[in-house]
Amino acid sequence: MTNCAQIIIKDLILFGYHGVYPEESTRGTQFKLSLIADIDPDLHGFYTDEIGDTVNYEMIVERLQMCVTKRRYNLVERLCQVIAESVLELPNIDAVDITVEKRIEGLTPEPQWIGVRRVVRKD
């Protein structure tokens, strides 16, 4: 039997200024992020109940927040890649499945959210 383990963060709402249109860089919009991180299934936290023996999901959330709020990208695709690379720098994370959606206004019909999904594994 093969073990697997994942951390799931769903529907984290952050505000950012990403997009190709001038109003996106001045007015900004909401972004909704969902992430699944494959983690080492043999981490001791599964047995010890100690935060130091696992991947602290607050560190992942901090990285998501930093990527969305501290820099600006034209493309959601690029933002998605930067997030994946940032999260993969954390120890004991083997892969990241990240979805970045942004609130869209002005399209007809008007969808609630449009986004990109990216799956990246460590080499």
Side-chain angles (χ1 to χ4, degrees):
M1 175 192 285
T2 302
N3 292 329
C4 74
Q6 298 175 318
I7 290 177
I8 300 168
I9 298 169
K10 186 174 180 182
D11 297 339
L12 176 67
I13 305 291
L14 298 169
F15 195 85
Y17 294 89
H18 312 286
V20 296
Y21 299 109
E23 62 272 13
E24 292 175 309
S25 65
T26 57
R27 191 176 51 187
T29 192
Q30 289 182 329
F31 288 80
K32 180 169 55 171
L33 285 71
S34 294
L35 176 136
I36 299 173
D38 290 354
I39 64 172
D40 181 349
D42 296 321
L43 287 172
H44 295 294
F46 288 104
Y47 310 100
T48 66
D49 200 30
E50 297 292 329
I51 189 72
D53 292 336
T54 190
V55 176
N56 184 339
Y57 58 81
E58 289 178 359
M59 293 173 62
I60 297 173
V61 170
E62 287 175 7
R63 297 236 172 175
L64 297 174
Q65 186 173 14
M66 184 179 64
C67 289
V68 172
T69 63
K70 300 297 182 196
R71 292 198 54 198
R72 184 188 177 289
Y73 300 97
N74 288 328
L75 301 178
V76 175
E77 289 86 345
R78 181 64 185 143
L79 176 59
C80 224
Q81 181 67 27
V82 168
I83 290 170
E85 290 171 358
S86 178
V87 173
L88 282 172
E89 291 173 353
L90 295 170
N92 299 310
I93 296 180
D94 300 319
V96 174
D97 180 338
I98 177 77
T99 301
V100 177
E101 300 171 274
K102 77 181 199 180
R103 179 76 78 182
I104 297 293
E105 297 177 11
L107 291 180
T108 305
E110 189 169 302
Q112 291 291 315
W113 300 90
I114 291 180
V116 173
R117 179 176 176 218
R118 180 90 165 128
V119 179
V120 179
R121 300 190 180 284
K122 279 188 180 171
D123 295 331

